[in-house]
């Protein structure tokens, strides 16, 4: 039953040479030819197949349907792919099945029309297609589960993948346009539909901003639309030159941020108000205290009408009470400013020998009175990075505690050690120590570790301030104590990193050097002050300084005229004056050649650090806060008025 025309010769060779398996089937469905590949693919030799119905190659469950198909084909034969779009399956000789693709073509022969079927193994192709389908499914499901709108744009700017959130967001242009429209076209469609209309921005501006960002995405793009919605857009380039785009509706986050921002502003304003309140409160409290402490000192020093011992004793109580109150006001003020974040630290290279010398000379008189020896241990001192004034404040605090809580005949030792990149400054005493039960809370405000009922005066705030200040300088504080034996308190501050040259101590000392030429018999001091009780106090003080003459002026304007006219040896300047401030007046004096060399000492009730900083930059030679300590003022006058 072999199909004679192709039975042998070149035609058969040709058919055997093609890569597909080929069978020819006659009008009755019988196989009349099979090429070599049929055996390779299905396991039958040509001999075994010749004369068999073609259904021998179809899995049994499909055979009856195949007979019908074959009938339909022979009624209108044409070249086509069999069952196009269907997964076809052939059955091998051993019963196993194989995925195939089959092309059919009618061939007219002298013996009638035969059908040629080319059969190709597509197992691998189908596996790959399945794989791709599965991957696509994962991808789509992942993209869909992103809460934000997602778009993928190819290297030609065509939108090729989106999720349903993106479809909804762009409202329309993405419904049917995926894979065809560019992103610019999609955006234009949405803009035209009013999707991103906003009272804050024109469509043209939204378009320009978005496309500019789209061309060179950097950071985030934010849009705010008319519905009060805020969209945060993030685009990133893909390796293929396309883009991924995520659009998040962050309306709620933004509202929360704005709420937080408003709350923070309100809190800042409240804090500023508190700070201002404290500043003026401190001024108001310090002014009458100035009178109390000042006049007490004058009474104590009164040589014309000396007080009785009893009166002196009582007066000493008044003075101590006043000074305690003053310290309390200053410390509360300082602490509340630190807590409000208003204390700015200006880190600079600090030469420790300078600071230690300064602390020592301030504490020496107190230590002497308490019968305690101050020792500064010699050490190789490298500069540290700190705020000089604040570091000195910490050491003063530790030092005065070591004296206050020390024992007569004892010592207070200042030790400096380097630990890696930090320097530790320790103040060691052999005093009363701190009971175990109080140690944990020693750095908390108003904790006096059992001293509240004792005879040693204090506020319990000093150590809290030390801790906060150290932290502001990137440092830390710590302590160790044995009850009845002594304590050591330390502060760690960072070493100053480079070998930057230090401003010389001489430069600072030069400030103190007044250019006063040889003192005349009575030197003139001009006091610019508007408060009558302060003026009265100063007059009484100067009564006791016969080599000095005091002239006062109630305003800065009058005061500087007076200074220009009389060229005094020294000016005492109040800062809070009606009209021109003492700071401005000092600046002006410094700017005129005939007055620039006259030393100016600031006297003010404003103990705020901010004022201190302002005053320092105004060019004062000294800065004394009220209430003025008589001894301190006299010392400053002596220094600045000393001949040469
Ligand atoms: P105060 O104004 O009471 O001295 P501080 O904050 O400076 O406040 O110190 C808190 C408490 O810690 C003190 O009241 C004291 O009981 C204890 N204290 C601080 N330094 C020492 C020390 N060197 N020796 C013993 N006790 C100390």
């Amino acid at each position: 039953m072999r199909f004679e025309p192709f039975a042998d010769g070149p035609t058969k060779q040709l058919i055997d040479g093609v890569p597909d398996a080929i069978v020819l089937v006659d009008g009755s469905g019988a196989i009349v030819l099979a090429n070599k590949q049929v055996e390779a693919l299905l396991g039958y030799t040509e001999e075994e197949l010749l004369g068999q119905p073609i259904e021998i190659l179809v899995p049994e469950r499909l055979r009856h349907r195949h007979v019908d198909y074959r009938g339909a084909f022979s009624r209108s034969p044409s070249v086509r792919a069999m069952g196009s779009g269907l997964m076809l399956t052939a059955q091998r000789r051993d019963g196993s099945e194989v995925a195939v693709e089959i092309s059919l073509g009618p061939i007219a022969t002298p013996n009638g029309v035969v059908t040629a079927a080319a059969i190709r193994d597509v197992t691998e192709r189908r596996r790959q297609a399945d794989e791709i389908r599965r991957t696509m499914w994962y991808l789509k499901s992942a993209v869909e589960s992103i809460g934000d709108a997602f778009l993928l744009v190819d290297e030609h700017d065509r939108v090729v993948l989106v999720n349903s959130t993106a479809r909804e967001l762009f409202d329309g242009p993405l419904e049917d346009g995926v894979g065809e429209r560019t992103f610019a076209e999609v955006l234009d469609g949405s803009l035209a539909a009013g999707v991103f209309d906003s009272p804050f921005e024109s469509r043209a501006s939204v378009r320009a901003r978005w496309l500019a960002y789209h061309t060179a995405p950097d950071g985030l793009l934010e849009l705010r639309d008319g519905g009060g919605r805020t969209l945060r857009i993030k685009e990133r380039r893909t390796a293929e030159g396309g883009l991924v785009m995520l659009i998040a509706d962050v309306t709620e986050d933004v509202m929360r941020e704005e709420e937080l921002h408003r709350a923070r502003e309100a809190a800042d304003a409240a804090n500023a108000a508190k700070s201002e309140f404290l500043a003026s409160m401190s001024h108001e409290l310090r002014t009458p205290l100035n009178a109390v402490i000042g006049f007490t000192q004058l009474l104590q020093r009164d040589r014309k009408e000396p007080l009785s011992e009893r009166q002196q004793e009582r007066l000493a109580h008044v003075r101590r009470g006043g000074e305690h109150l003053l310290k309390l006001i200053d410390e509360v003020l300082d602490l509340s400013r630190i807590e409000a974040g208003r204390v700015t630290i200006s880190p600079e290279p600090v030469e420790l020998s300078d600071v230690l010398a300064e602390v020592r000379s301030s504490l020496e008189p107190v230590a002497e009175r308490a019968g305690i020896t101050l020792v500064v241990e010699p050490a190789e001192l490298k500069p540290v990075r700190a705020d000089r004034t604040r570091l000195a404040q910490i050491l003063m605090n530790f030092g005065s505690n070591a004296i206050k809580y020390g024992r007569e005949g004892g010592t207070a030792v200042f030790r400096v050690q380097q630990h890696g990149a930090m320097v530790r400054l320790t103040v060691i005493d052999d005093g009363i120590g701190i009971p175990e039960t109080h140690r944990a809370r020693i750095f908390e405000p108003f904790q006096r570790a059992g001293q509240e009922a004792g005879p040693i005066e204090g506020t319990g705030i000093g150590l809290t301030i030390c801790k906060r200040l150290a932290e502001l300088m990137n440092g830390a504080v710590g302590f160790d104590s044995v009850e009845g034996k002594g304590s050591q308190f330390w502060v760690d501050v960072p070493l100053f990193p480079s070998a930057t040259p230090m401003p010389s101590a001489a430069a600072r000392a030069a400030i103190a050097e007044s250019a006063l030429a040889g003192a005349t018999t009575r030197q003139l001091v001009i006091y610019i002050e508007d408060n009558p009780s302060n003026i009265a106090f100063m007059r009484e003080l100067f009564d006791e300084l016969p080599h000095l003459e005091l002239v006062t002026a109630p305003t800065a304007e009058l005061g500087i005229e007076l200074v220009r006219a009389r060229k005094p040896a020294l000016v005492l300047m109040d800062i809070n004056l009606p009209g021109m401030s003492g700071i401005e007046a000092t600046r002006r004096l410094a700017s005129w050649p005939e007055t620039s060399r006259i030393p100016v000492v600031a006297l003010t009730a404003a103990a705020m650090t901010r004022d201190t900083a302002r005053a320092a930059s105004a060019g004062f030679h000294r800065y004394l806060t009220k209430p003025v300590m008589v001894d301190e003022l006299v010392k400053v006058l002596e220094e600045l008025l000393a001949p040469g």
Side-chain angles (χ1 to χ4, degrees), residues 120-233:
R120 180 173 297 172
D121 181 352
V122 293
T123 315
E124 182 55 19
R125 220 168 69 197
R126 219 168 266 171
R127 198 192 56 73
Q128 282 172 358
D130 282 351
E131 181 91 29
I132 290 170
R133 241 195 318 276
R134 219 179 16 252
T135 309
M136 275 310 280
W137 186 84
Y138 283 141
L139 181 63
K140 279 197 174 143
S141 138
V143 160
E144 211 38 61
S145 20
I146 297 173
D148 302 337
F150 173 91
L151 291 91
L152 178 66
V153 172
D154 72 7
E155 70 272 30
H156 307 296
D157 201 37
R158 270 190 314 251
V159 179
V160 288
L161 184 66
V162 300
N163 64 3
S164 51
T165 316
R167 278 204 180 85
E168 270 164 42
L169 176 69
F170 282 86
D171 194 20
L174 284 176
E175 285 309 333
D176 51 357
V178 173
E180 285 148 39
R181 292 198 196 154
T182 63
F183 174 71
E185 286 164 353
V186 170
L187 180 60
D188 282 341
S190 295
L191 284 170
V195 173
F196 300 111
D197 279 2
S198 153
F200 314 107
E201 199 174 6
S202 68
R203 284 182 189 175
S205 160
V206 171
R207 181 179 196 277
R209 267 204 312 134
W210 199 333
L211 291 183
Y213 174 73
H214 183 69
T215 319
D218 183 25
L220 293 169
L221 176 72
E222 218 167 79
L223 291 184
R224 195 166 259 215
D225 70 13
R229 200 170 50 158
T230 306
L231 300 175
R232 203 164 278 165
I233 300 153

Side-chain angles (χ1 to χ4, degrees), residues 428-442:
I428 306 153
D429 66 57
D430 46 11
I432 60 175
I434 301 166
E436 169 89 63
T437 46
H438 291 291
R439 282 183 211 152
R441 305 183 61 191
I442 201 82

Side-chain angles (χ1 to χ4, degrees), residues 327 331 397-398 401-402 404-406 429 432-434 442 447-451 457-464 481 486-487 489:
K327 186 159 193 301
E331 289 192 341
N397 229 308
F398 288 173
N401 279 349
K404 267 193 337 190
Y405 304 105
D429 66 57
I432 60 175
I434 301 166
I442 201 82
Q447 294 299 325
R448 294 213 56 220
Q451 293 295 333
E457 276 181 356
T459 59
I461 308 177
L463 287 182
T464 314
S481 184
S487 315
F489 280 81

Side-chain angles (χ1 to χ4, degrees), residues 126-360:
R126 219 168 266 171
R127 198 192 56 73
Q128 282 172 358
D130 282 351
E131 181 91 29
I132 290 170
R133 241 195 318 276
R134 219 179 16 252
T135 309
M136 275 310 280
W137 186 84
Y138 283 141
L139 181 63
K140 279 197 174 143
S141 138
V143 160
E144 211 38 61
S145 20
I146 297 173
D148 302 337
F150 173 91
L151 291 91
L152 178 66
V153 172
D154 72 7
E155 70 272 30
H156 307 296
D157 201 37
R158 270 190 314 251
V159 179
V160 288
L161 184 66
V162 300
N163 64 3
S164 51
T165 316
R167 278 204 180 85
E168 270 164 42
L169 176 69
F170 282 86
D171 194 20
L174 284 176
E175 285 309 333
D176 51 357
V178 173
E180 285 148 39
R181 292 198 196 154
T182 63
F183 174 71
E185 286 164 353
V186 170
L187 180 60
D188 282 341
S190 295
L191 284 170
V195 173
F196 300 111
D197 279 2
S198 153
F200 314 107
E201 199 174 6
S202 68
R203 284 182 189 175
S205 160
V206 171
R207 181 179 196 277
R209 267 204 312 134
W210 199 333
L211 291 183
Y213 174 73
H214 183 69
T215 319
D218 183 25
L220 293 169
L221 176 72
E222 218 167 79
L223 291 184
R224 195 166 259 215
D225 70 13
R229 200 170 50 158
T230 306
L231 300 175
R232 203 164 278 165
I233 300 153
K234 187 176 187 175
E235 298 188 16
R236 290 291 173 268
R237 289 239 163 267
T238 61
E240 298 72 37
L243 277 166
V244 282
M245 189 183 298
L246 279 175
I247 305 167
D249 185 337
V250 293
T251 314
E252 273 184 27
D253 297 357
V254 169
M255 268 159 56
R256 252 197 309 273
E257 273 165 29
E258 282 172 356
E259 228 161 74
L260 265 177
H261 184 71
R262 273 195 299 275
R264 201 167 34 235
E265 275 185 347
D268 283 351
N271 241 333
K274 183 181 113 188
S275 193
E276 277 317 308
F277 169 76
L278 281 168
S280 57
M281 216 29 213
S282 125
H283 184 80
E284 296 306 315
L285 290 172
R286 286 173 138 267
T287 305
L289 258 186
N290 181 26
V292 172
I293 297 175
F295 282 101
T296 307
Q297 292 177 85
L298 290 179
L299 279 176
Q300 286 175 322
R301 293 166 64 102
D302 200 331
R303 280 183 227 126
K304 286 179 210 141
E305 297 169 48
L307 299 179
S308 71
E309 206 165 299
R310 218 166 116 80
Q311 285 167 325
Q312 282 287 6
E313 222 170 79
R314 290 178 176 173
L315 213 50
H317 282 297
V318 174
R319 183 168 168 185
R320 263 208 308 281
E323 284 173 359
H324 179 64
L325 194 53
L326 180 67
K327 186 159 193 301
L328 187 64
I329 292 169
D330 285 348
E331 289 192 341
V332 168
L333 185 68
D334 209 14
L335 181 61
S336 54
R337 284 186 55 76
I338 296 172
E339 309 268 80
R342 298 238 159 186
V343 166
T344 44
I345 290 291
S346 16
E348 50 172 348
V350 175
E351 199 73 84
L352 289 175
S353 52
D354 279 8
V355 178
L356 288 167
E358 180 186 314
V359 170
R360 182 188 192 141

